[in-house]
Amino acid sequence: MLETLYGGVQNRRVTIRDLQRATDTHERWAMLTAYDYSTARVFDEAGVPVLLVGDSAANVIYGYDTTLPVTVDELLPLVRGVVRGTKRAMVVADMPFGSYQSSPAQALETAARFMKEGGAQAVKLEGGHRVLPQVEALVNAGVPVMAHLGLTPQSVNAFGGYRVQGRGEEAAHRLVQDAKAMQQAGAFAMVLEVVPSELAREVSAQLHIPTIGIGAGPDCDAQVLVWQDMAGLSPRTAKFVKRYADVAGVLGQAARSFGQEVVAGQFPAPEHAYH
Ligand code: KIV
């Protein structure tokens, strides 16, 4: 039997209905971040059904310390590149800090830019009850919204650092209420970042929309990682990251070999030259 996401859906983009169908049939799936045409192509061909142009671009593309400084104008070209590099993956654009918190109208304006100018199929925003009006406005306008709860990096200053969220009865209760409110408002999926595994399991059991874990244990419907962390390009990673490759090692070695061959006059060889 063909699975909905890994195996099925080959000749068109993955939709929110496909993701819901996969969740209904207990088929797990993966989401990766992507920020450019070339890696998006690789991930699309690898069958990853959802690519997130995360505001983590602030860190891994632009070199900022936090996600707070990155702007819509900085993310838009990345979204365009990822959309051009993919045929099948759903592309989700992350709404950066300051681009949706002011009002539902501001959220709609930002989402419209990511969809009209960037070509994204969905947007993601961080927060629970406080962004409920924004989620409702987007959903009413036909914009698929991915919610994001737990360690929401745009609130790092309010949290006092990058720490596990939802610990303790009261915080866990608040997170469950936020999750239910987001689903009720029409979010099609929800990222749960750095929360206790037991809490992520409870939220996943209580929601019918897919939960996408990152540092949230094994019981979410899907999992996401920042690709540079997953592939070994980031110098430091959190405990929840698994490194599936050593891209920094491979790239570094390729750059060293290229440099050495140029210095030694070994590159270009006759087969690389035109006559
Ligand atoms: O910006 C990002 O990469 C994210 C994921 C970690 C979920 O929000």
Side-chain angles (χ1 to χ4, degrees), residues 31-35 52-60 67 94 124 126 146-148 151-154 191-193 212-214 224-227 229 240:
M31 177 164 93
L32 270 180
T33 62
Y35 313 94
L52 169 69
V53 185
D55 64 350
S56 50
N59 313 112
V60 295
T67 59
D94 215 356
K124 178 170 85 56
E126 298 183 3
M146 181 178 283
H148 185 162
L151 201 182
T152 44
Q154 292 175 16
V191 171
L192 294 175
E193 180 161 353
I212 310 165
I214 174 162
V224 57
L225 285 175
V226 169
W227 87 255
D229 294 348
F240 59 77

Side-chain angles (χ1 to χ4, degrees), residues 126 130 150-163 165:
E126 298 183 3
R130 64 195 158 86
L151 201 182
T152 44
Q154 292 175 16
S155 301
V156 60
N157 292 314
F159 293 148
Y162 295 99
R163 45 186 81 246
Q165 298 297 308

